[in-house]
Structures are given as structure tokens and as C-alpha cells.
Amino acid sequence: MHREIGSLVAQIEVLNREMKEMKTDVRQLREDFAAVKGGSRVLIGISAFLGSGVTWGLTHFFGKT
């Protein structure tokens, strides 16, 4: 019976260690996702700015009648 309890304690310790590692991995994934999300917003902003510049240029130079 003591062997079984010792074995279970060892398994619990391993599971606790693995859960801590998983928690760290999930935290890193959340940080990485937040960085990607912010980067995509910057890219959308730059695209909108360039698109509006192109539209203004085309209407300014070629849109006059």
C-alpha cells in the first residue's frame, strides 16, 4: 500500500510540474497572439493611409473635368 501511495505522489508531482509548464506556454501564446493582433492593426492602418493617398492622388490629378 505504501508503494502505491508513493507512486501516486510521484505522479501528482509530475502532473503539477507539467501543469506549471503548460501554464507558462499558454501565457506565452497569449502574449504572442496579442503582438500579432497589434501588428495586424498597424498593417491595416498603413494600408488605409496609403489607399487614401492613392485615391486622393487619382482624383486630384485625373478627376478634374
Side-chain angles (χ1 to χ4, degrees), residues 2-63:
H2 292 289
R3 288 183 191 175
E4 292 175 5
I5 293 174
S7 175
L8 291 174
V9 169
Q11 289 176 354
I12 290 172
E13 289 174 355
V14 170
L15 288 174
N16 282 333
R17 196 173 331 122
E18 290 176 350
M19 287 299 292
K20 287 179 184 177
E21 291 174 7
M22 188 179 298
K23 184 178 178 181
T24 303
D25 292 344
V26 168
R27 184 176 295 131
Q28 184 63 43
L29 286 172
R30 284 182 179 172
E31 291 172 2
D32 292 346
F33 180 72
V36 168
K37 189 176 179 182
S40 66
R41 288 181 179 164
V42 169
L43 184 61
I44 290 170
I46 291 171
S47 299
F49 179 76
L50 292 176
S52 64
V54 169
T55 301
W56 176 85
L58 290 174
T59 57
H60 182 73
F61 293 111
F62 299 111

